[in-house]
Amino acid sequence: MSSTPSSHLHLAVALDGTGWHPASWREQVARPRDLFTAGYWADLVAEAERGLLDFVTLEDGLGLQSSQYGEPDGRTDQVRGRLDAVLIASRIAPLTRHIGLVPTVIATHTEPFHISKAIATLDYVSTGRAGLRVQISARPHEADHFGRRTFPPLSLEELQSPAGQEKLTALFDEAADHVEVVRRLWDSWEDDAEIRDVTTGRFVDRDKLHYIDFEGGHFSVKGPSITPRPPQGQPLVTALAHQTVPYRLVARQADVGYVTPHDAGQARAIVAEIRAEQEAAGRADELLHVFGDLVVFLDDDQAAAEDRRARLDGLAGEPYSSDARIFTGTPSQLADLLEELAEAGLTGFRLRPAVAGHDVPAISRSLVPELQRRDTFRRAYEADTLRGLLGLTRPTNRYAAV
């Protein structure tokens, strides 16, 4: 089988602090003292690149991490505080050659003009390997950091109510507009807008810069951008989705959606819903990846993985739970599960390492060779851009004259 993007599974790793288990920082391999250094993140991403992964995502937020939804928990026994994800990605980009870099951005409180410029810059710094993970925030204490709007406290139960769903829909509609503005700004310079002709003194062809004139319920943006069109044309847009409202955002605006099925039946149903929404959005002929998210405790034998999880739970004082399925076992068992879920329609997976220092190397050095033995994962990088790795073509510019 040839190493084409369509013939293999796609793999990403989600990096968050020292790992997704709240007690991960207390493991010997965790390096908590290095957490706010460039070297810590560079080492993790280099390890992921060693495993030929498509990309890494970098978590971010606009408030301190919390074990409670919607409000700070005041805890001091877990990792609190983080570096800016876009800036981490820009720092690491020159140290890597192939792997994609996808930082999280919070659409609710950041201007799309800033985000467009930042991710376009990351695409230049990485020579075509940038993306973003768009996220919303309905947390009152995060809104308080900006002072522009207020959100009433909402519990998870209240979010499920009709009124809560209405609020959620408004925030996701805002996020869709945010991404639309970002995408239009990326296109606001044509590819050949820069002439850079020293003899004539012409640097830019002004006719090839375009106003986007976006007017929506949330944003009014004239454009054009002040950053030329990124190397990929359109860097990757990704989003995590758990239900219909965010599935719609994925279908309307994303290149990759992350979903959290707990079995193959759920995966099949979620993929079907997203594909239907994709068709309704007029994007039926576009390639849209649906990745399954899994938290992983990976060890050479199952008992060791279970013991490690139990030890971490003991340190945390409670069993770890997640929105995503939690896998505890061996690389071979995980490969079986990934193949089973892929048959249900998922095109790739974003693995969340329980302990980054342990589970990222387990993914790159044990899981990847197992998938290669099964001929379900690449043996070499087959493209120079992130879009290329995912089989996405470089889109034509919407403003360029045909």
Side-chain angles (χ1 to χ4, degrees):
M1 186 184 287
S2 65
S3 292
T4 60
S6 58
S7 65
H8 288 147
L9 292 177
H10 295 284
L11 279 183
V13 164
L15 299 178
D16 188 14
T18 55
W20 288 76
H21 194 290
S24 58
W25 70 278
R26 298 172 72 176
E27 288 284 88
Q28 256 187 315
V29 295
R31 298 172 59 191
R33 292 182 183 279
D34 298 337
L35 189 53
F36 300 107
T37 67
Y40 172 84
W41 297 96
D43 290 347
L44 283 177
V45 177
E47 187 60 49
E49 188 169 57
R50 179 202 301 260
L52 308 177
L53 270 60
D54 291 80
F55 59 91
V56 297
T57 62
L58 300 160
E59 296 300 303
D60 208 346
L62 298 174
L64 283 179
Q65 300 95 320
S66 177
S67 57
Q68 296 171 20
Y69 179 82
E71 59 183 2
D73 59 10
R75 294 182 73 150
T76 56
D77 62 331
Q78 297 176 3
V79 171
R80 294 292 180 263
R82 53 167 102 242
L83 300 178
D84 182 276
V86 176
L87 294 178
I88 293 171
S90 290
R91 175 67 181 83
I92 291 163
L95 309 177
T96 54
R97 287 186 58 204
H98 301 288
I99 195 164
L101 301 163
V102 181
T104 296
V105 300
I106 315 298
T108 312
H109 298 295
T110 50
E111 294 297 330
F113 192 90
H114 291 156
I115 296 304
S116 165
K117 209 164 139 297
I119 302 300
T121 300
L122 177 60
D123 209 41
Y124 275 103
V125 173
S126 65
T127 57
R129 295 180 285 121
L132 63 85
R133 180 172 91 84
V134 63
Q135 191 175 317
I136 64 152
S137 168
R139 297 175 176 89
H141 65 284
E142 293 185 11
D144 291 346
H145 291 322
F146 297 88
R148 293 179 185 161
R149 56 207 293 195
T150 55
F151 292 137
L154 267 182
S155 68
L156 277 173
E157 293 72 34
E158 287 169 322
L159 267 183
Q160 301 304 326
S161 71
Q165 285 294 296
E166 201 174 311
K167 288 192 176 88
L168 210 58
T169 300
L171 284 172
F172 276 101
D173 283 346
E174 179 183 33
D177 275 5
H178 189 286
V179 175
E180 179 64 20
V181 172
V182 166
R183 285 191 179 281
R184 290 191 193 188
L185 287 166
W186 285 336
D187 275 352
S188 65
W189 289 52
E190 293 185 37
D191 288 319
D192 55 352
E194 287 177 276
I195 303 163
R196 306 182 201 180
D197 190 326
V198 175
T199 53
T200 64
R202 292 184 76 209
F203 191 90
V204 171
D205 182 344
R206 185 62 187 83
D207 292 336
K208 297 195 172 183
L209 271 59
H210 300 276
Y211 295 118
I212 69 166
D213 289 325
F214 182 90
E215 290 287 345
H218 308 280
F219 305 103
S220 172
V221 180
K222 187 173 180 63
S225 178
I226 60 170
T227 306
R229 193 174 194 229
Q232 293 183 99
Q234 292 276 319
L236 202 70
V237 174
T238 77
L240 173 65
H242 297 105
Q243 50 168 295
T244 298
V245 173
Y247 292 159
R248 202 165 290 143
L249 172 68
V250 166
R252 284 160 67 184
Q253 285 290 10
D255 302 297
V256 179
Y258 315 114
V259 298
T260 53
H262 286 246
D263 57 43
Q266 279 186 12
R268 202 168 282 111
I270 291 168
V271 170
E273 184 171 358
I274 290 175
R275 296 296 178 215
E277 292 285 356
Q278 184 184 355
E279 192 166 350
R283 295 182 66 203
D285 58 342
E286 292 181 38
L287 177 56
L288 168 60
H289 284 288
V290 183
F291 279 28
D293 267 23
L294 295 161
V295 178
V296 296
F297 294 81
L298 265 183
D299 284 278
D300 289 337
D301 72 68
Q302 189 169 356
E306 287 171 351
D307 288 350
R308 186 160 62 96
R309 181 176 172 183
R311 187 178 74 253
L312 286 164
D313 284 352
L315 288 169
E318 59 189 0
Y320 174 65
S321 61
S322 172
D323 57 317
R325 176 168 173 167
I326 302 170
F327 172 85
T328 310
T330 67
S332 176
Q333 291 167 330
L334 181 54
D336 289 343
L337 176 61
L338 299 187
E339 288 183 344
E340 180 191 339
L341 292 170
E343 284 174 16
L346 298 176
T347 55
F349 299 91
R350 186 176 72 139
L351 304 179
R352 306 180 188 177
V355 179
H358 177 111
D359 294 296
V360 174
I363 291 164
S364 64
R365 302 180 194 199
S366 299
L367 173 66
V368 165
E370 176 62 31
L371 292 170
Q372 287 169 334
R373 274 193 290 276
R374 301 173 185 216
D375 203 21
T376 52
F377 193 69
R378 66 170 64 90
R379 294 179 182 274
Y381 280 113
E382 64 276 297
D384 295 327
T385 67
L386 180 51
R387 291 186 72 89
L389 289 178
L390 292 166
L392 294 158
T393 56
R394 188 179 190 277
T396 53
N397 188 317
R398 74 192 71 197
Y399 297 115
V402 178

